[in-house]
Amino acid sequence: GAGVSQSPRYKVAKRGQDVALRCDPISGHVSLFWYQQALGQGPEFLTYFQNEAQLDKSGLPSDRFFAERPEGSVSTLKIQRTQQEDSAVYLCASSPRGAQNEQYFGPGTRLTVT
Amino acid sequence: RKEVEQDPGPFNVPEGATVAFNCTYSNSASQSFFWYRQDCRKEPKLLMSVYSSGNEDGRFTAQLNRASQYISLLIRDSKLSDSATYLCVVNRYSSASKIIFGSGTRLSIRP
C-alpha cells in the first residue's frame, strides 16, 4: 500500500523566502508528526496532530514555523522568512489509532536556504 | 546534556560478528522505548520496541534497564545489510506526543 509521501523532495530557498512543505500520511492514520533532522543528528520533534487538532507544537523553533492539518489528512508545514539555520531535512510521520508510537516516516523534504 | 544519548560510532565490524550498543536516557519518567534504523539519506524505520522483560526479533535483541536508565541493542551474526544508523527513541508518555530521538549510532559491516 501507499506509504507517507512528502513534497517537494528538495527545496532551495533564498533567505527570507517563505516555503510550504506538504505531507500526505497513510490513509486512515490519525496521528501525524513533523520532525526536523540536521546532518548527523536524530530527528527533532516539531509538532503533533491528532486528526485536525494540533495537540503539541512545543518543538517549533520560532513563530516563523506554522503547521496545519485542516481536514485531518494532508498536513502542511510552513516556514516564513527562511533563515540559513532552517536548512535541514523535514520529516513527516504518521501512525494509526491505538499504535501511536509506531511511526511511519515519509522520505522527507531536504530544505536548503541560501 | 541531551535527554537521549548514544555513542555516535562508527562501529566497524566484520560480517558475522556480534555487535552491541547502548543508549542512555535522562528522564526517569520515560515510558516507551524503541530502536529505529535509518539508512543513508533515507527515512527512519521502526526496528523494534523495547520491553522491560527484553525482547528478541531474529538476530536482534533489545534490553531495557530502568534502574540504570539505558537501552541496549544486540545484533548477532551481522550481515552487510545491517549497515545503517541505529536511532534510540524514548517517549515520556504511553501515548505519542513528545518522542525524543537519539543522534544515532553508525554501524558499518565489512565483508
Side-chain angles (χ1 to χ4, degrees):
Chain A
V4 178
S5 61
Q6 292 185 246
S7 61
R9 292 292 312 279
Y10 303 91
K11 176 70 179 178
V12 179
K14 290 187 177 178
R15 191 175 56 171
Q17 277 186 331
D18 297 350
V19 298
L21 313 180
R22 177 187 169 108
C23 172
D24 280 86
I26 293 172
S27 178
H29 279 194
V30 300
S31 299
L32 186 146
F33 306 80
W34 283 99
Y35 294 88
Q36 180 190 62
Q37 186 171 26
L39 191 64
Q41 299 297 314
E44 296 271 349
F45 171 86
L46 293 177
T47 187
Y48 159 61
F49 291 86
Q50 187 165 318
N51 296 306
E52 68 279 2
Q54 189 174 20
L55 298 186
D56 189 336
K57 55 181 181 179
S58 61
L60 295 176
S62 77
D63 59 8
R64 296 186 295 104
F65 287 70
F66 172 77
E68 60 182 4
R69 193 186 186 198
E71 297 177 0
S73 177
V74 171
S75 177
T76 303
L77 176 67
K78 298 180 180 177
I79 308 173
Q80 297 177 323
R81 304 182 302 282
T82 51
Q83 303 294 315
Q84 283 194 312
E85 62 263 27
D86 299 335
S87 296
V89 175
Y90 291 85
L91 293 162
C92 174
S94 69
S95 57
R97 186 186 306 275
Q100 291 163 310
N101 283 308
E102 294 180 17
Q103 301 199 0
Y104 297 84
F105 282 83
T109 295
R110 185 175 298 273
L111 173 65
T112 303
V113 181
T114 61
Chain B
R1 183 181 171 214
K2 288 187 175 180
E3 189 163 342
V4 178
E5 299 217 50
Q6 295 183 250
D7 182 339
F11 285 63
N12 190 325
V13 302
E15 195 174 6
T18 295
V19 60
F21 25 84
N22 291 340
C23 160
T24 58
Y25 60 95
S26 59
N27 191 324
S28 59
S30 299
Q31 297 196 26
S32 308
F33 310 89
F34 309 87
W35 284 102
Y36 276 71
R37 170 197 170 122
Q38 186 170 27
D39 293 291
C40 188
R41 293 185 167 263
K42 298 286 189 180
E43 69 273 20
K45 291 185 179 177
L46 178 63
L47 180 65
M48 59 197 303
S49 302
V50 187
Y51 304 117
S52 296
S53 54
N55 49 300
E56 191 173 305
D57 183 1
R59 297 180 294 107
F60 297 81
T61 300
Q63 297 275 356
L64 166 64
N65 184 319
R66 284 190 185 271
S68 301
Q69 294 181 207
Y70 78 80
I71 308 147
S72 64
L73 179 68
L74 179 81
I75 306 174
R76 289 182 299 277
D77 187 25
S78 53
K79 311 291 185 191
L80 295 175
S81 57
D82 294 335
S83 296
T85 295
Y86 290 84
L87 299 163
C88 172
V89 181
V90 171
N91 190 357
R92 295 178 197 164
Y93 310 107
S94 57
S95 62
S97 179
K98 199 60 173 291
I99 292 176
I100 311 295
F101 281 75
S103 297
T105 297
R106 279 178 51 208
L107 174 64
S108 179
I109 308 297
R110 63 180 187 271

